[in-house]
Structure formats: structure tokens, C-alpha cells
């Protein structure tokens, strides 16, 4: 879901000085107008303070619109990882540099999948432009957003239950560290292949989560379009007692899981290569300055 302006030291307002040759009737030089000087200083301070406030407001809106946004957790579907009322920071640019990963906690829109879909834009062009601006700044939206954990990527075969566990491409997941205490991995059996450019998501509170398992009759067969993913939740910032990061659980790092995913992706038409392309491109961009510097030294 950044440049900061340093307010610095306030420069004193210029004080006018009397002409060197001017004198009063009694022969002494005139005293400076302290009242006018104080008024100028006050006006300058107010103008600079207003500039700082406006700049800070604009910076906040830009950060919220394009980089990081705070979301409040409204339900118990992600307990105990996320509790009702928690505030999380969502990185909105991370997936421009890497693909979505299994185990990520993502915020996404229900548009074109679970619904409800946003109403059609207004027929009034002025209202439509105004709504687009507010939506772009993250101040208004007619869409419904959800937060869940990514279990399957495009081409993955996600199923339950084998030996009481959810499997991805036949590899069982050990979910004890994040699934709500006492909950089974799923209260019913399911089996699905994630469509191209979609993800399969589930809540950590499996018995109280309306997730991909319950939307198999919707577009995507319960999976969510990658294009509707807003970003990755990476940090709980409120309340202070919950302050911590949200790393990917170790069960999603199994070598067999990734090997199976590569095979499934090839069968689905090379989705693994597509998913890796943004990461490789970002790595190339980051590595280019280093390579140029080494070449210049040689």
C-alpha cells in the first residue's frame, strides 16, 4: 500500500534601517519601528508554516495513493495473525519489483471475482473526473476490499485434505504457526487448479473466513485476479501491543513446493517465466549502476 521537506530554521524578516543622514528635531537618530518589524516576522512565520503544512498534506496524499496505505482489519477472518481493529501497512509498489509469493498477506478488491463490483461511473463528466481523482488519492472507493493469505499461484493445484493438511502441487503445508488455534486446515474437502493470472487465497481463521473455498461458483472459480491486488500487508502498526512485521511462513519455502510449481507453470503455458520476469527486470535495473561503476574502475 519519499521526499520530506525539512522546515529548517526560520529566517528572520528583514528590518528596515533609517537613512544614515536623517535626524530628529533633538539631533538623535530615529528609533526603528519595532511594531512593524514584529508584524513582518509574524507574517513570514505564518506563511512558512502554511507552506510546510500544505507540503506535508500533499506528500501524505501521494504516499497513500502510490506507495503505502493503512488499512483497518474489520473482521476475524485472519485471526490470530490479524485481529479486529488492527491497522496494517500495505506496500502498494512491491509487486512492481517482484511477483506475488505464496504466504504473502494481500489486500485485494472483489471486482471481477467475489464482488460486489463497483457501480458504473457517473454519466456526469465532472463528477466522474472528481471521483477518479479521489480514488487515485485513496480518499474514496466504491469497491469492497478483502485481506487474505496467498496459498496458490497461477497453475498451482490446491487441495485439501491429505493427512489432514492443505496441499499445493501435492506438497503438504504445515500451517500450525498461523492457522487459528484449534481450526482444521479446512472444514471440507476441495480441489482446484488456479487459473492463469489469478491467486488462491484463504484466511488464517479457517472456520470463520469467507475465502476462495466458498467462491468456486464466482468468476475465476474462487481465485482472485492478480490485477485486483492492491498490495502486500507487511507491518502491524496499531495497537502498539501488536506491533510486528508479517513475514512469509517457512512452510512456503519448501524446495519441493517450488519445484512442483515450476512444473505446473510449464503445463499452464510458462507462467513461471512470466512471474519471474518483473523480478529479473528489477534486478537488472538495480545491478546496472554497479556494473557500470566496476567497468569504469577497470
Amino acid at each position: 500500500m519519499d521526499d520530506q521537506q525539512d522546515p529548517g530554521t526560520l529566517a528572520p524578516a528583514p528590518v528596515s534601517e533609517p537613512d544614515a543622514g536623517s535626524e530628529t528635531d533633538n539631533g538623535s537618530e530615529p528609533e526603528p519601528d519595532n511594531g512593524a518589524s514584529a508584524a513582518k516576522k509574524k507574517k513570514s512565520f505564518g506563511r512558512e508554516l502554511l507552506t510546510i503544512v500544505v507540503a506535508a498534506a500533499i506528500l501524505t496524499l501521494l504516499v497513500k495513493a502510490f506507495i503505502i496505505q493503512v488499512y483497518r482489519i474489520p473482521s476475524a477472518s485472519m485471526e490470530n495473525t490479524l485481529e479486529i481493529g488492527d491497522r496494517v501497512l500495505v506496500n502498494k509498489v512491491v509487486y512492481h519489483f517482484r511477483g506475488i509469493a505464496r504466504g504473502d498477506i494481500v489486500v485485494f478488491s472483489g471486482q471481477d471475482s467475489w464482488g460486489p463490483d463497483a457501480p458504473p461511473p457517473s454519466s456526469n463528466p465532472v463528477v466522474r473526473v472528481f471521483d477518479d481523482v479521489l480514488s487515485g488519492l485513496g480518499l474514496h472507493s466504491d469497491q469492497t476490499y478483502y485481506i487474505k493469505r496467498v496459498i496458490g499461484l497461477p497453475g498451482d493445484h490446491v487441495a485439501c485434505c491429505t493427512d489432514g493438511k492443505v496441499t499445493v502441487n501435492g506438497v503438504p503445508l504445515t500451517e500450525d504457526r498461523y492457522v487459528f488455534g484449534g481450526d482444521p486446515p479446512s472444514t471440507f474437502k476441495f480441489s482446484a487448479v488456479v487459473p492463469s493470472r489469478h491467486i488462491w487465497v484463504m484466511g488464517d481463521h479457517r472456520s470463520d473466513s469467507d475465502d476462495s473455498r466458498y467462491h468456486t461458483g464466482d468468476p475465476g472459480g474462487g481465485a482472485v485476479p492478480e490485477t485486483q491486488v492492491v498490495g502486500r500487508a507487511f507491518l502491524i502498526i496499531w495497537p502498539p501491543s501488536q506491533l510486528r512485521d508479517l513475514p512469509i511462513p517457512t512452510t512456503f519455502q519448501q524446495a519441493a513446493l517450488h519445484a512442483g510449481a515450476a512444473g505446473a507453470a510449464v503445463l499452464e503455458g510458462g507462467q513461471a517465466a512470466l512471474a519471474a520476469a518483473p523480478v529479473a527486470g528489477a534486478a537488472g535495473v538495480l545491478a546496472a549502476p554497479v556494473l557500470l561503476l566496476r567497468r569504469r574502475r577497470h
Side-chain angles (χ1 to χ4, degrees):
M1 158 315 286
D2 299 329
D3 296 328
Q4 289 187 339
Q5 181 174 342
D6 185 358
T9 304
L10 293 176
V15 179
S16 59
E17 298 180 356
D19 293 338
S22 60
E23 295 183 352
T24 57
D25 292 339
N26 58 9
S28 62
E29 295 186 358
E31 296 182 358
D33 188 351
N34 293 330
S37 176
K40 287 183 179 179
K41 287 184 179 180
K42 186 175 181 181
K43 184 177 180 180
S44 176
F45 175 80
R47 183 167 54 250
E48 294 190 24
L49 180 61
L50 179 61
T51 300
I52 293 170
V53 170
V54 171
I58 293 174
L59 179 61
T60 300
L61 290 175
L62 291 176
V63 168
K64 183 177 180 182
F66 302 110
I67 302 175
I68 293 177
Q69 187 166 348
V70 178
Y71 282 85
R72 178 183 179 276
I73 306 303
S75 72
S77 69
M78 284 296 293
E79 289 180 340
N80 283 326
T81 305
L82 301 175
E83 298 182 0
I84 296 175
D86 284 356
R87 266 72 169 180
V88 296
L89 283 184
V90 173
N91 187 330
K92 302 173 75 171
V93 299
V94 62
Y95 296 132
H96 293 287
F97 300 97
R98 73 164 175 86
I100 300 172
R102 300 180 196 86
D104 280 350
I105 296 176
V106 295
V107 171
F108 58 92
S109 164
Q111 186 77 22
D112 301 326
S113 59
W114 302 1
D117 289 345
S122 172
S123 58
N124 187 322
V126 176
V127 174
R128 187 164 60 249
V129 170
F130 187 68
D131 286 345
D132 288 344
V133 171
L134 292 181
S135 178
L137 293 174
L139 299 177
H140 169 76
S141 178
D142 292 320
Q143 297 189 358
T144 300
Y145 292 92
Y146 304 87
I147 184 166
K148 304 290 180 186
R149 189 182 297 277
V150 178
I151 304 297
L153 298 177
D156 282 351
H157 178 209
V158 184
C160 191
C161 299
T162 299
D163 296 330
K165 294 183 177 182
V166 170
T167 61
V168 179
N169 301 320
V171 180
L173 300 179
T174 302
E175 303 185 286
D176 300 343
R177 300 193 66 175
Y178 58 87
V179 167
F180 186 80
D183 272 8
S186 179
T187 54
F188 58 91
K189 294 182 178 181
F190 64 88
S191 178
V193 175
V194 184
S196 173
R197 299 182 179 84
H198 285 66
I199 55 174
W200 184 272
V201 295
M202 297 170 67
D204 288 356
H205 195 169
R206 297 289 165 80
S207 63
D208 192 19
S209 174
D210 181 20
D211 51 40
S212 290
R213 298 170 295 165
Y214 294 91
H215 290 272
T216 53
D218 292 333
V224 176
E226 292 178 328
T227 54
Q228 297 303 325
V229 174
V230 175
R232 175 179 182 254
F234 68 97
L235 183 70
I236 304 174
I237 61 170
W238 189 264
S241 60
Q242 281 280 85
L243 180 64
R244 58 188 174 86
D245 64 346
L246 298 168
I248 296 176
T250 55
T251 190
F252 293 99
Q253 308 301 324
Q254 299 179 75
L257 178 62
H258 297 290
V266 170
L267 292 176
E268 285 293 311
Q271 291 300 316
L274 291 176
V279 181
V285 171
L286 294 175
V290 178
L291 294 176
L292 289 174
L293 179 59
R294 291 180 61 185
R295 185 174 181 180
R296 184 176 181 182
R297 286 179 177 176
H298 285 302

